[in-house]
């Protein structure tokens, strides 16, 4: 996978994960143009399109578009499954996830993505394991914070 | 200083902004606050500030001043800080940034951290965006972690290794030992990432590939794992719609594909499992189809047995009928890949593929179009073309150019009859005329010219098309060219193929003049129509109108048009005698491209009389070997083969060659009538020269050289008469006169000549190739010889007399001295 973008139906970016090194300017340009292209697609059209020299796989979940650019030898249908798996993870974590969850907790959305994919490939195929890892990491974060509050000197 | 606002608070605030300006203002204010907070080196709130900065970065605002802060967060001991710090690094500190490398040390430390989640963060960051230098520095650490027993870390290390290899391929060797027992893991995460790592190594290095095939016996291991996945019962942890770990299955199938490619043993070892997956996988949901898709790709790529291949194509055929668009798309893509190798199998699904042309989805339509063209052959051309033309009518503009080109190509290869071919071209021109490629206009003109018996039909159809619509330039160009050439057929109503229309010369000229003035016509088109009008001056009777038109354009602003008009004007005024010859019908052109319908007649129950033998063509297309016969006989290397004028090669633009003709004319030449040939061919660029050497030409010098008899045998007598070419005195112009005193005509008469190397010889076309019997007429032909010294010549004569071919060679030595002095 080269990158994954999440954006709303108005074209606002909610998450961007890039697995290839590109300049900020290029990223902005690609984002802008791709978002336009995908938003222009009609609902009955298929989830795949050739754009520039990349294969794009996208799927809409409620008000959010999940859009990935994959390599030529990658399997488009399994990419749809990957997108679906990510949505399921978000759903389990946030409990019936909606766009607002991702807006207000974008850093968590990234953490979950980074437990599921690494370098553009799936690192864990078990839903349970991904969620467990996130849970543990969250706990670790809380514990330390908790300790900080207990022992921090008044400033 | 009050505590910086919380992240969620900021997000909420920004979202209340009603305009872009309001949002920008809020952001600027907050950025200023964050900046001063950074300056104060506040450890407590750094994390919160960077998080806010990342949010603003996502909205599109600059955040580079946070880069160093991310580094500080990464170096912190707090897990929260590290989490946000690494996230910030991945978003803001890609390898193009100067400070990117400063991360290296922190990452190195964190790779050895006591907490696996910290190690995980470091591996993740390195594996997503580590630069080559960083990868080089840290590869050792990654390799170590690849060997750990902690599966959480092992799986991340494997993908990190993939990234390292992609960035620094030379380091691949280093990871080889660690891959030894990766596949004996039970943990699916490790299995999946290991397969990805092995795939990457095998794809990059043929040595690795053969190592894994032979030494590690990778194929049996993978087959075993795959088998377990399929056969084992329900495993809730990895189940997706009833299928056990489809992600892993797909990756294994992909690795098998690489291992089995071009390798018989490996392919054989995986045959069974592939058949099993292909037949047992549930197809009701996307997951199952994803696995089947990968399986089909693998079957087609390895050396599978034919039964398996048929199974694969049938799966694709079933995909084509699936309601799910995505599945259909994927099927069309795969079929396109296999259509070359398994053509017949794919043909069976042709009707379904053609139906996909009518799909609403652009990607599917494109694939279906490409595949349809690949499937066209002599047997299905009529049916397929009907569908494709219908598609051309209704498709989006982005397809039209490709589709039109495809149609032309297919028609050229498989047209069942000339009429069909021309009808097809007409259809394309009228429906997608503005989208056809530029080079199709000359191609079409050549095709039309060579379909001699269809001229009347073609010009009629094109004329009718012009009446309807003059906006499509390629159509207009071809049409005006044809009207120029065959306007006489149009007016005389000679069409056999369909009802001839009644049209007068004036009507035709109206149409052509209309093209000249229309705003829709491009300059190129105007050039075509002006030339067409000019050509009609020799085919129509009403010349005055044409003269007027031409003279008007002599002052046209368009330089091209003006030049043409001026030259045509000159033709009317000073060179009127040459006009008929210059504007004669174009001869059949040599095809430089693929064989057209004139050469190959595809079966479809329709046979065509083979192309009208160009009897009227001068024998200038003699193959070189005949000249070589002469060479042999003249005994030696001092002979140059006959240089005969060849047919004009395909003109770059139909209007252009007339200008070339004019360009070659030496305007100092004297008047001469058109050559006394009954042949409807023309010899461009030597016409004037040929004319000037006609015996009718009064040249004082000519009279000085006496004629001679070069050959007289078996009733065939050949006389040579001489002139000096004007203006080049080094060129001797010899005219041969062949006469026949026998009772029967000599048909297919060909005269050839060879001269020693010091000379150059040029043979123009003969007046005819039938020497009439009983001296009723002569065949004349012009030879031009450059730099004649003591000229000697070998001639070869071939002709048919009373049904039997006759051939003779002779040497001509009795040239009069004056011919070379």
């Amino acid at each position: 996978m080269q990158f994954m973008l999440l954006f709303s139906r108005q074209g606002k970016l909610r998450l961007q994960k890039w697995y290839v090194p590109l300049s900020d300017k290029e990223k902005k340009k690609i984002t802008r143009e791709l978002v336009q292209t995908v938003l222009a697609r009609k609902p009955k059209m298929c989830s795949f399109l050739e754009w520039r020299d990349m294969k794009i796989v996208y799927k809409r979940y409620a008000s959010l578009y999940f859009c990935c650019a994959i390599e030529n030898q990658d399997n488009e249908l399994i990419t749809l499954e990957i997108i679906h798996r990510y949505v399921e993870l978000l759903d389990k974590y946030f409990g019936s996830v909606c766009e607002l969850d991702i807006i207000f907790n974008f850093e968590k959305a990234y953490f979950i993505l980074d437990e599921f994919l690494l370098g553009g490939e799936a690192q864990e195929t078990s839903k349970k394991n991904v969620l467990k890892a996130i849970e543990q990491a969250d706990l670790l974060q809380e514990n330390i914070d908790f300790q900080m509050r207990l022992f921090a000197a008044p400033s | 200083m009050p505590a910086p606002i919380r992240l969620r608070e900021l997000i909420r605030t920004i979202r209340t902004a009603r305009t872009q300006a309001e949002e920008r203002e809020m952001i600027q204010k907050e950025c200023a606050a964050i900046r001063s907070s950074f300056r104060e080196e506040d450890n407590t709130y750094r994390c919160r500030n960077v998080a806010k900065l990342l949010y603003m970065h996502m909205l599109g605002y600059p955040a580079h001043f946070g880069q160093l802060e991310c580094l500080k967060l990464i170096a912190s001991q707090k897990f929260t800080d590290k989490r946000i710090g690494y996230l910030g690094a991945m978003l803001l500190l890609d390898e193009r940034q100067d400070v990117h490398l400063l991360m290296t040390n922190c990452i190195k430390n964190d790779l050895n951290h006591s907490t696996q989640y910290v190690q995980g963060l470091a591996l993740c960051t390195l594996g997503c965006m580590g630069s080559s230098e960083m990868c080089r520095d840290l590869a050792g650490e990654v390799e170590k972690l690849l060997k750990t027993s902690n599966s959480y870390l092992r799986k991340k290390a494997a993908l990190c290794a993939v990234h390292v290899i992609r960035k620094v391929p030379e380091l691949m060797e280093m990871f080889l030992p660690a891959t030894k027992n990766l596949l004996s893991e039970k943990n699916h995460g490790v299995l999946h990432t290991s397969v990805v790592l092995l795939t990457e190594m095998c794809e990059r290095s043929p040595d690795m590939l053969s190592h894994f095939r032979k030494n590690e016996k990778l194929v049996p291991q993978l087959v075993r794992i795959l088998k377990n996945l399929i056969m084992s019962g329900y495993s809730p942890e990895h189940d997706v719609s009833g299928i056990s770990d489809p992600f892993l299955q797909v990756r294994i199938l992909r690795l098998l594909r690489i291992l089995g490619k071009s390798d018989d043993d490996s392919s054989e070892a995986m045959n069974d499992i592939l058949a099993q997956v292909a037949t047992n996988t549930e197809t009701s949901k996307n997951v199952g189809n994803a696995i089947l898709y990968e399986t089909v790709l693998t079957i087609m790529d390895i050396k599978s047995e034919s039964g398996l291949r048929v199974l694969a194509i049938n799966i694709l055929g079933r995909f084509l009928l699936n309601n799910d668009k995505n599945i259909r798309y994927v099927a069309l893509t795969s079929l396109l890949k296999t259509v070359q190798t398994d053509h017949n199998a794919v043909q069976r699904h042709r009707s379904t593929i053609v139906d996909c042309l009518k799909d609403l989805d652009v990607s599917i339509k494109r694939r279906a179009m490409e595949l349809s063209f690949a499937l066209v052959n002599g047997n299905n051309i009529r049916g397929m073309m009907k569908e494709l033309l219908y598609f051309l009518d209704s498709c989006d503009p982005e397809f039209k150019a490709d589709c039109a080109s495809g149609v032309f190509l297919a028609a050229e290869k498989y047209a069942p009859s000339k009429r069909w071919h021309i009808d097809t071209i007409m259809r394309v021109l009228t429906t997608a005329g503005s989208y056809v490629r530029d080079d199709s206009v000359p191609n079409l003109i050549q095709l039309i010219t060579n379909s001699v018996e269809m001229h009347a039909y073609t010009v009629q159809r094109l004329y009718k098309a012009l009446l309807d619509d003059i906006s499509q330039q390629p159509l207009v160009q071809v049409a005006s060219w044809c009207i120029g050439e065959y306007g006489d057929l149009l007016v005389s109503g000679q069409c056999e193929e369909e009802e001839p229309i009644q049209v007068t010369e004036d009507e035709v000229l109206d149409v052509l003049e209309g093209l000249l003035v229309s705003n829709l016509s491009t300059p190129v088109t105007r050039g075509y129509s002006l030339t067409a009008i000019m050509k009609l001056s020799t085919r129509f009777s009403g010349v005055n109108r044409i003269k007027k038109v031409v003279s008007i354009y002599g002052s046209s602003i368009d330089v091209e048009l003006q030049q043409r008009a001026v030259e045509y004007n000159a033709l009317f005024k000073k060179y009127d005698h040459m006009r008929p010859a210059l504007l004669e019908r174009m001869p059949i052109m040599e095809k430089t491209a693929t064989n057209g319908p004139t050469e190959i007649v595809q079966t479809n129950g329709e046979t065509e009389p083979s192309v009208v033998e160009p009897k009227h063509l001068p024998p200038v297309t003699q193959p070189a070997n005949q000249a070589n016969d002469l060479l042999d006989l003249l005994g030696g290397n001092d002979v140059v083969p006959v240089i005969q004028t060849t047919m004009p090669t395909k003109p770059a633009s139909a209007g252009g060659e007339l200008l070339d003709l004019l360009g070659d004319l030496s305007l100092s030449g004297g008047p001469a009538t058109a050559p006394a040939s009954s042949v409807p061919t023309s010899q461009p660029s030597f016409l004037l020269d040929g004319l000037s050497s006609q015996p009718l030409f009064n040249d004082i010098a000519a009279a000085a050289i006496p004629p001679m008899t070069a050959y007289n045998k078996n009733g065939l007598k050949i006389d040579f008469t001489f002139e000096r070419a004007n203006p080049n005195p080094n060129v001797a112009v010899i005219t041969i006169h062949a006469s026949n005193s026998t009772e029967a005509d000599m048909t297919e008469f060909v005269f050839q000549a060879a001269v020693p190397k010091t000379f150059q010889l040029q043979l123009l076309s003969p007046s005819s190739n039938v020497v009439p019997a009983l001296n009723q007429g002569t065949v004349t032909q012009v030879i031009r010889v450059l730099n004649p010294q003591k000229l000697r010549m070998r001639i070869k004569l071939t002709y048919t007399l009373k049904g039997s071919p006759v051939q003779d060679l002779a040497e001509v030595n009795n040239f009069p001295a004056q011919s070379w002095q």
Side-chain angles (χ1 to χ4, degrees):
Chain A
M1 195 181 294
Q2 299 194 13
F3 59 81
M4 181 189 281
L5 301 173
L6 264 67
F7 50 90
S8 71
R9 291 214 277 179
Q10 288 75 40
K12 290 211 98 142
L13 200 60
R14 299 300 177 205
L15 188 145
Q16 52 174 333
K17 188 75 190 176
W18 297 84
Y19 296 109
V20 289
L22 290 167
S23 73
D24 237 10
K25 204 164 129 199
E26 283 166 310
K27 285 185 196 167
K28 283 215 170 99
K29 182 155 183 262
I30 290 177
T31 306
R32 189 178 53 238
E33 289 177 9
L34 185 54
V35 166
Q36 250 175 7
T37 311
V38 172
L39 287 177
R41 304 266 294 177
K42 303 199 192 63
K44 289 289 184 191
M45 292 178 129
C46 80
S47 295
F48 314 129
L49 62 131
E50 291 109 37
W51 186 78
R52 301 208 182 165
D53 54 346
M54 294 180 275
K55 293 208 280 196
I56 306 288
V57 180
Y58 74 93
K59 190 142 190 226
R60 185 166 80 82
Y61 287 85
S63 58
L64 264 186
Y65 281 87
F66 289 70
C67 185
C68 304
I70 58 175
E71 266 97 21
N72 276 321
Q73 59 269 50
D74 287 336
N75 181 329
E76 293 97 322
L77 297 178
I78 208 75
T79 309
L80 279 175
E81 291 301 318
I82 294 213
I83 292 177
H84 190 73
R85 173 56 65 89
Y86 181 46
V87 174
E88 282 179 326
L89 290 167
L90 289 170
D91 193 59
K92 211 57 198 270
Y93 182 82
F94 287 110
S96 291
V97 68
C98 64
E99 191 185 344
L100 274 179
D101 290 321
I102 304 198
I103 294 172
F104 278 96
N105 301 285
F106 71 94
E107 83 277 15
K108 300 243 170 55
Y110 274 109
F111 295 153
I112 296 171
L113 186 61
D114 286 337
E115 275 304 320
F116 176 41
L117 302 178
L118 201 158
E121 305 283 351
Q123 58 181 285
E124 180 57 67
T125 55
S126 151
K127 226 186 318 189
K128 189 178 89 178
N129 286 352
V130 176
L131 290 166
K132 200 163 69 172
I134 295 286
E135 207 184 292
Q136 301 281 41
D138 281 350
L139 268 178
L140 196 58
Q141 191 172 320
E142 252 174 62
N143 282 345
I144 293 179
D145 280 355
F146 183 58
Q147 282 166 24
M148 286 287 299
R149 260 180 258 126
L150 272 184
F151 299 115
S155 51
Chain B
M1 162 123 214
I5 65 171
R6 294 176 169 279
L7 172 63
R8 321 264 176 251
E9 191 64 47
L10 177 69
I11 297 176
R12 204 167 299 133
T13 314
I14 292 179
R15 282 172 63 79
T16 61
R18 271 161 297 167
T19 63
Q20 187 75 1
E22 214 181 313
E23 182 186 278
R24 209 186 349 250
E25 211 182 296
M26 290 180 188
I27 302 253
Q28 274 173 356
K29 199 168 124 204
E30 185 57 37
C31 276
I34 292 177
R35 272 189 152 105
S36 39
S37 188
F38 284 162
R39 267 196 296 271
E40 287 172 20
E41 297 285 338
D42 185 338
N43 289 341
T44 329
Y45 296 113
R46 183 176 288 124
C47 177
R48 184 185 291 182
N49 285 330
V50 170
K52 288 187 285 187
L53 198 56
L54 292 178
Y55 177 73
M56 295 189 286
H57 176 251
M58 185 144 66
L59 290 179
Y61 296 93
H64 44 269
F65 59 89
Q67 285 174 1
L68 280 174
E69 302 302 314
C70 291
L71 285 174
K72 292 180 196 161
L73 282 175
I74 291 174
S76 156
Q77 284 312 305
K78 287 199 325 222
F79 183 66
T80 318
D81 282 356
K82 283 193 193 282
R83 241 185 166 184
I84 295 289
Y86 276 117
L87 178 60
M90 284 194 271
L91 288 173
L92 301 178
L93 278 175
D94 64 50
E95 64 185 46
R96 288 153 170 264
Q97 309 302 326
D98 305 325
V99 295
H100 175 86
L101 273 178
L102 294 176
M103 279 197 286
T104 313
N105 216 30
C106 281
I107 294 184
K108 186 166 188 181
N109 291 337
D110 283 341
L111 283 174
N112 293 309
H113 202 274
S114 48
T115 313
Q116 68 175 16
Y117 296 106
V118 176
Q119 289 173 293
L121 284 175
L123 280 168
C124 182
T125 308
L126 180 59
C128 284
M129 41 82 84
S131 64
S132 340
E133 294 89 354
M134 201 185 283
C135 288
R136 246 183 257 273
D137 287 340
L138 300 173
E141 305 296 327
V142 177
E143 199 260 340
K144 234 171 36 191
L145 286 171
L146 194 50
K147 296 193 283 218
T148 176
S149 52
N150 181 336
S151 48
Y152 177 79
L153 292 175
R154 210 169 182 203
K155 71 188 186 198
K156 290 183 193 269
L159 288 182
C160 202
V162 171
H163 179 82
V164 169
I165 291 175
R166 283 184 185 156
K167 282 296 196 186
V168 193
E170 306 90 72
L171 291 174
M172 196 182 339
E173 293 283 327
M174 161 181 193
F175 295 104
L176 188 52
T179 63
K180 259 215 173 327
N181 31 21
L182 274 178
L183 289 184
S184 39
E185 267 268 4
K186 288 273 188 289
N187 180 298
H188 280 224
V190 178
L191 276 176
H192 185 271
T193 57
S194 307
V195 173
V196 175
L197 176 58
L198 292 167
T199 307
E200 186 70 28
M201 291 169 109
C202 290
E203 268 177 346
R204 276 189 186 266
S205 155
D207 290 332
M208 284 283 183
L209 179 57
S210 47
H211 166 78
F212 281 120
R213 261 190 202 137
K214 300 189 175 62
N215 307 347
E216 300 290 339
K217 307 253 183 278
L218 210 50
V219 177
Q221 286 185 60
L222 291 169
V223 170
R224 186 180 41 87
I225 299 173
L226 195 50
K227 206 171 196 143
N228 280 341
L229 283 174
I230 302 172
M231 306 299 269
S232 68
Y234 177 72
S235 151
E237 199 177 327
H238 299 110
D239 180 272
V240 181
S241 305
I243 296 180
S244 195
D245 207 339
F247 305 106
L248 183 56
Q249 288 194 36
V250 165
R251 275 334 285 240
I252 290 180
L253 286 163
R254 186 159 147 188
L255 182 53
L256 284 175
R257 177 154 81 243
I258 296 170
L259 290 168
K261 193 166 184 160
S262 330
D263 188 86
D264 290 321
D265 292 331
S266 304
S267 301
E268 206 187 308
M270 57 180 86
N271 248 319
D272 285 344
I273 192 71
L274 289 174
Q276 209 175 354
V277 176
T279 40
N280 288 343
T281 308
E282 263 290 321
T283 57
S284 54
K285 292 262 176 80
N286 183 57
V287 213
N289 288 321
I291 295 177
L292 279 177
Y293 176 39
E294 197 74 35
T295 312
V296 165
L297 289 178
T298 301
I299 292 175
M300 300 315 288
D301 236 12
I302 64 171
K303 298 198 159 232
S304 45
E305 48 185 46
S306 60
L308 205 52
R309 292 183 90 86
V310 172
L311 182 59
I313 303 246
N314 288 345
I315 291 177
L316 291 179
R318 277 208 309 276
F319 274 6
L320 277 180
L321 300 167
N322 196 308
N323 285 329
D324 188 338
K325 279 198 190 320
N326 297 332
I327 311 279
R328 290 212 297 277
Y329 173 86
V330 146
L332 286 170
T333 313
S334 318
L335 283 170
L336 197 56
K337 287 194 208 139
T338 64
V339 74
Q340 301 304 330
T341 45
D342 294 85
H343 191 93
N344 292 333
V346 181
Q347 279 281 3
R348 256 178 254 134
H349 301 282
R350 193 178 67 242
S351 49
T352 324
I353 293 169
V354 166
D355 280 339
C356 289
L357 283 173
K358 306 194 183 84
D359 203 296
L360 292 165
D361 186 303
V362 159
S363 315
I364 291 185
K365 276 204 275 222
R366 176 167 285 282
R367 286 275 179 271
M369 180 182 83
E370 287 168 3
L371 200 46
S372 300
F373 279 123
L375 287 176
V376 170
N377 64 25
N379 290 329
N380 58 31
I381 177 77
R382 280 187 187 267
M384 288 295 276
M385 199 52 84
K386 221 185 343 208
E387 296 286 346
L388 287 165
L389 286 173
Y390 180 73
F391 174 69
L392 184 63
D393 276 341
S394 50
C395 69
D396 297 330
E398 60 188 276
F399 287 121
K400 291 212 191 223
D402 290 331
C403 190
S405 302
V407 166
F408 285 148
L409 217 67
E412 209 178 298
K413 276 208 276 221
Y414 301 112
S417 75
K418 289 230 200 85
R419 158 113 190 230
W420 181 94
H421 196 164
I422 290 187
D423 282 343
T424 306
I425 291 171
M426 289 291 310
R427 178 87 182 268
V428 174
L429 285 179
T430 45
T431 53
S434 11
Y435 299 99
V436 301
R437 301 228 159 87
D438 290 334
D439 61 353
S440 28
V441 171
N443 284 341
L444 292 173
I445 287 177
Q446 183 183 47
L447 176 68
I448 292 171
T449 313
N450 292 349
S451 318
V452 175
E453 66 278 13
M454 304 295 299
H455 284 167
Y457 172 70
T458 312
V459 70
Q460 182 162 298
R461 284 212 58 188
L462 284 167
Y463 179 76
K464 284 200 273 195
L466 265 192
L467 291 176
D468 278 333
D469 171 22
I470 59 168
S471 63
Q472 306 195 83
Q473 298 306 297
L475 172 63
V476 174
Q477 286 167 10
V478 174
S480 26
W481 190 92
C482 282
I483 293 176
E485 278 291 307
Y486 312 121
D488 48 330
L489 297 176
L490 184 61
V491 179
S492 62
Q494 280 182 20
C495 184
E496 287 167 4
E497 301 277 346
E498 61 174 26
E499 187 69 33
I501 56 174
Q502 309 295 335
V503 63
T504 65
E505 292 182 4
D506 275 326
E507 283 169 341
V508 174
L509 287 172
D510 283 340
V511 170
L512 287 175
E513 282 186 49
L515 293 175
L516 275 174
V517 301
S518 165
N519 286 333
L520 297 167
S521 300
T522 62
V524 173
T525 307
R526 294 212 177 97
Y528 271 90
S529 24
L530 188 61
T531 306
I533 292 176
M534 189 59 196
K535 285 192 205 171
L536 289 175
S537 69
T538 52
R539 292 158 175 70
F540 282 3
S541 48
V543 180
N544 288 327
R545 178 173 175 181
I546 295 176
K547 273 195 200 168
K548 221 172 14 161
V549 173
V550 167
S551 65
I552 290 174
Y553 282 90
S555 43
S556 160
I557 295 179
D558 180 342
V559 176
E560 172 79 19
L561 223 49
Q562 189 190 107
Q563 180 176 4
R564 284 176 195 235
V566 165
E567 290 180 0
Y568 295 160
N569 250 334
L571 261 190
F572 274 125
K573 298 206 167 58
K574 275 169 73 180
Y575 301 102
D576 204 45
H577 50 281
M578 283 191 246
R579 197 164 41 85
L582 284 171
L583 302 177
E584 266 179 352
R585 277 266 205 280
M586 290 299 291
I588 292 187
M589 307 178 207
E590 250 173 37
K591 247 189 146 36
T592 53
T594 55
N595 290 333
T598 51
E599 310 274 353
I600 295 175
V601 175
Q602 288 294 321
T603 57
N604 207 357
E606 289 165 79
T607 46
E608 268 260 320
S610 55
V611 68
V612 172
E613 277 308 308
K615 289 198 191 67
H616 46 276
L617 268 184
V620 288
T621 48
Q622 298 296 329
N625 49 25
Q626 291 200 9
N628 287 334
D629 294 342
L630 284 174
L631 274 183
D632 290 340
L633 294 163
L634 268 170
N637 322 339
D638 58 344
V639 172
V640 160
V642 173
I643 306 165
Q644 295 182 328
T645 54
T646 51
M647 289 311 299
T649 50
K650 198 166 65 145
S653 81
E657 77 274 10
L658 209 55
L659 284 182
D660 289 339
L661 273 179
L662 294 168
D664 275 327
L665 289 176
S666 62
L667 296 173
S668 61
T673 57
S677 59
S678 54
V679 188
T681 57
S682 54
Q683 288 285 327
S685 81
F686 299 110
L687 207 56
L688 185 57
D689 293 338
L691 289 172
S692 69
S693 65
Q694 285 301 306
L696 303 163
F697 184 49
N698 276 334
D699 191 341
I700 307 160
I705 307 172
M708 59 174 260
T709 302
Y711 175 90
N712 194 347
K713 214 157 104 179
N714 296 334
L716 177 63
K717 180 156 155 260
I718 299 188
D719 292 330
F720 283 6
T721 55
F722 303 92
E723 295 93 38
R724 284 249 166 248
N726 197 355
N728 187 353
N730 274 336
V731 177
V733 180
I734 307 170
T735 308
I736 69 155
H737 306 259
S739 54
N740 167 14
S741 58
T742 69
E743 304 155 342
D745 290 353
M746 292 171 177
T747 54
E748 286 155 350
F749 174 78
V750 174
F751 173 89
Q752 286 172 282
V755 289
K757 239 196 233 170
T758 48
F759 305 109
Q760 268 188 49
L761 183 144
Q762 205 166 41
L763 208 59
L764 305 189
S765 63
S767 57
S768 130
N769 57 2
V770 175
V771 192
L774 300 172
N775 293 323
Q776 280 166 32
T778 57
V779 167
T780 54
Q781 190 165 6
V782 175
I783 310 171
R784 290 154 55 97
V785 184
L786 181 68
N787 193 23
Q789 299 302 310
K790 182 163 172 32
L791 184 58
R792 65 186 187 103
M793 194 189 278
R794 271 257 157 167
I795 60 176
K796 179 172 172 184
L797 307 154
T798 45
Y799 56 92
T800 304
L801 183 61
K802 294 181 195 159
S804 31
V806 181
Q807 199 177 329
D808 198 8
L809 291 160
E811 190 158 350
V812 183
N813 289 324
N814 51 333
F815 285 96
Q818 297 99 311
S819 66
W820 64 80
Q821 277 156 5

